[in-house]
Amino acid sequence: MQVIEKNIDTSVAANLPRLITSLPGPKAKILVDRDHAVLSPSYTRDYPLVAKKGSGALIEDVDGNRFLDFAAGIAVVSTGHCHPKVVAAIQKQAAELIHMSGTDFYYPNLVELAEKLASIAPGAEAKRVYFGNSGAEGTEAAMKLARYHTKRDKLIAFYSSFHGRTMGALSLTASRAVQRKGFGSLLGGVFHAHYPNTYRGTFGNNPEHASADALDYIENILFKRIVDPEDVAGIIIEPIQGEGGYLPAPAEFLQTLQAICRKHGIMLIADEVQSGMGRTGKWWAGDHAGLEPDIISSAKGIASGMPLSAIISRASVMNWKPGAHASTFGGNPVAIAASLATIDLLEHEYIENAAKMGAHIMKLMADWRERHKIVGDIRGKGLMIGIELVRDQKTKERAPDLRNRIVEMAFHKGLLILGAGENALRLAPPLMIDEEQAEFAVRTLDACLTEVERSM
């Protein structure tokens, strides 16, 4: 669908978008055609952005158009694109040591980052850290560790969850059928529970009972009729579902789920790949509920764009023997250097800013449900905000077509956003955005919503 929009004139503001060609521009069109000829057709692209360079929350395409990135490279560039301190750390490390493999040898910054991650993980018990390259690898490691430690083989995940696309991680993922279609049998012994939906209700009704209904299903259906809890190695949950629509789990649900895991000796695995590393205004989304998982999986924002993941577990849980699990590239020295610089920036500046800017954005959108008939729900924490679009606020009929249209309209106005779930918009900018950028994004989306509603 082609959308022609009147561009917002922001040429005088250096930290806001500036569009100088139609979209896509001539150079972008050529590269998109070349891409389609040689790249895997499994990649999903919502709009024809051909990025050339980035700085802070801004991306410039090959034609010189400048965009405000409220997707942060899929919630990855937590400190912004090419932060000078992160770039300097990468350059310095690349000149000293690019690779040695931390699974076979030792090097200083590998230990330093592990110590830092252990110190920011919740809970009093000492921690141990395992490094990989991606969120999916983190999921695989967490699954294996839970099985190894408990000597059990069953796992429970949640509907609408996303934990990765490798075969083991995909067995836990229950986001979209297309992600599973055509790949045959997945990992056995995986069961799914219902995630508490405080907007629609866990079973499509009674939103006020969302937590109780979801917990009742686990204890009185799964555990009594399908799988004995004594056979369950781990329960993996996103404290805020990412691909599921930026949907937060209530604190009381997470706390009770943790108590259930403790009761039955089940490993509670928090998938904080998208919600962690300060995005919600705290180190971990689970911190808002006082959660103390047995295993935390982290990636995305951990290294400002360099490929790195980590699982952090209680020391008594990470008891596997040498050779049980490893990764040639996991904990690469250059990625580690980027992560140390990232964590320093998050700790001293950007986690606080994420909380502040997130609250500011939520305040600016506080009346949207009254002003916009297609806005059903606005939710989230910090700079992890979801806006669910509906055709009717009373029936809550999902409106994925309107969501998709707004994503494309925003692109043509210089704002990069993505969808989440069936019909939600996600706002996940770099954690260093300022008020002017936050307000531009809100104004732009407000205008998009108004234009869509006028055309209905």
Side-chain angles (χ1 to χ4, degrees):
M1 176 180 68
Q2 174 125 16
V3 178
I4 306 294
E5 298 295 337
K6 182 179 179 181
N7 295 334
I8 297 174
D9 183 10
T10 59
S11 58
V12 297
N15 65 337
L16 292 180
R18 182 194 63 200
L19 304 181
I20 60 175
T21 73
S22 60
L23 299 177
K27 293 180 181 178
K29 286 180 181 178
I30 293 170
L31 281 159
V32 167
D33 289 342
R34 289 172 59 191
D35 179 290
H36 288 172
V38 295
L39 268 294
S40 171
S42 64
Y43 293 174
T44 55
R45 275 73 173 263
D46 285 353
Y47 38 79
L49 171 72
V50 182
K52 180 181 180 181
K53 61 182 179 180
S55 176
L58 298 173
I59 281 289
E60 185 175 309
D61 75 2
V62 291
D63 292 290
N65 296 298
R66 191 171 67 206
F67 302 85
L68 180 61
D69 184 5
F70 258 56
I74 326 296
V76 168
V77 288
S78 50
T79 61
H81 293 279
C82 302
H83 192 289
K85 291 184 178 179
V86 176
V87 171
I90 290 170
Q91 291 173 332
K92 181 176 183 294
Q93 183 59 53
E96 293 178 355
L97 178 68
I98 292 177
H99 174 74
M100 192 64 195
S101 188
T103 64
D104 290 288
F105 304 97
Y106 303 89
Y107 40 88
N109 67 359
L110 189 74
V111 179
E112 185 180 353
L113 181 57
E115 290 173 339
K116 187 60 184 180
L117 290 171
S119 74
I120 63 175
E125 184 179 330
K127 307 296 190 297
R128 285 187 179 274
V129 179
Y130 169 88
F131 290 113
N133 302 284
S134 69
E137 285 191 25
T139 297
E140 297 282 350
M143 293 167 65
K144 289 179 70 176
L145 180 58
R147 282 182 158 195
Y148 187 98
H149 177 74
T150 62
K151 308 306 178 189
R152 305 173 182 181
D153 66 342
K154 306 297 190 295
L155 294 157
I156 295 173
F158 289 84
Y159 291 116
S160 298
S161 65
F162 185 87
H163 301 290
R165 290 185 175 93
T166 51
M167 292 298 277
L170 184 60
S171 304
L172 301 176
T173 292
S175 178
R176 302 177 186 179
V178 68
Q179 294 165 347
R180 290 170 163 243
K181 184 179 180 180
F183 298 113
S185 298
L186 301 177
L187 186 68
V190 174
F191 306 92
H192 286 86
H194 296 271
Y195 198 87
N197 190 319
T198 55
Y199 172 58
R200 297 181 173 275
T202 296
F203 298 105
N205 51 38
N206 297 326
E208 65 276 14
H209 299 153
S211 291
D213 288 345
L215 291 164
D216 181 73
Y217 181 85
I218 293 171
E219 295 195 277
N220 294 311
I221 302 296
L222 272 184
F223 285 172
K224 289 185 177 180
R225 300 182 184 180
I226 301 173
V227 58
D228 191 297
E230 304 304 316
D231 287 335
V232 177
I235 297 179
I236 185 168
I237 187 168
E238 299 163 275
I240 300 178
Q241 282 197 331
E243 300 302 313
Y246 272 34
L247 183 66
E252 65 271 15
F253 174 83
L254 293 172
Q255 292 162 0
T256 305
L257 184 67
Q258 179 170 273
I260 290 170
C261 288
R262 298 284 189 268
K263 175 182 176 182
H264 296 291
I266 298 169
M267 297 292 98
L268 178 61
I269 305 167
D271 182 337
E272 294 263 15
V273 167
Q274 189 160 176
S275 61
M277 302 313 295
R279 176 149 296 280
T280 66
K282 293 182 181 289
W283 277 117
W284 313 104
D287 288 347
H288 293 276
L291 207 61
E292 295 183 7
D294 299 290
I295 304 169
I296 297 174
S297 179
S298 178
K300 286 191 181 291
I302 195 172
S304 295
M306 294 296 289
L308 182 69
S309 65
I311 62 167
I312 312 159
S313 84
R314 294 190 288 116
S316 60
V317 169
M318 195 173 286
N319 62 345
W320 46 19
K321 304 301 181 186
H325 193 57
S327 166
T328 298
F329 293 105
N332 169 270
V334 181
I336 293 285
S339 183
L340 286 167
T342 296
I343 288 175
D344 183 66
L345 288 163
L346 295 176
E347 189 167 35
H348 293 101
E349 298 180 62
Y350 296 148
I351 294 180
E352 181 180 354
N353 191 63
K356 180 182 176 182
M357 289 298 102
H360 186 54
I361 290 172
M362 293 293 270
K363 183 178 180 181
L364 293 173
M365 298 190 302
D367 65 346
W368 276 16
R369 279 173 290 239
E370 287 70 44
R371 292 198 298 106
H372 293 294
K373 62 184 180 181
I374 64 173
V375 173
D377 191 34
I378 301 174
R379 64 224 177 195
K381 296 181 185 299
L383 288 175
M384 189 173 186
I385 298 171
I387 305 165
E388 185 161 347
L389 301 185
V390 296
R391 207 163 297 282
D392 182 279
Q393 289 180 336
K394 290 183 178 179
T395 66
K396 300 182 182 179
E397 180 187 350
R398 298 180 188 274
D401 57 325
L402 302 183
R403 187 274 307 279
N404 295 345
R405 185 178 172 193
I406 287 171
V407 168
E408 189 167 357
M409 288 174 70
F411 169 62
H412 283 266
K413 293 179 183 291
L415 178 67
L416 306 179
I417 57 172
L418 292 171
E422 294 180 55
N423 58 305
L425 299 165
R426 75 174 92 180
L427 304 185
L431 307 189
M432 42 61 64
I433 60 166
D434 59 26
E435 282 193 12
E436 189 174 28
Q437 292 169 329
E439 290 166 6
F440 173 89
V442 172
R443 285 197 312 273
T444 302
L445 287 175
D446 198 349
C448 291
L449 289 165
T450 298
E451 290 177 42
V452 166
E453 287 170 339
R454 284 175 180 167
S455 69
M456 292 175 65

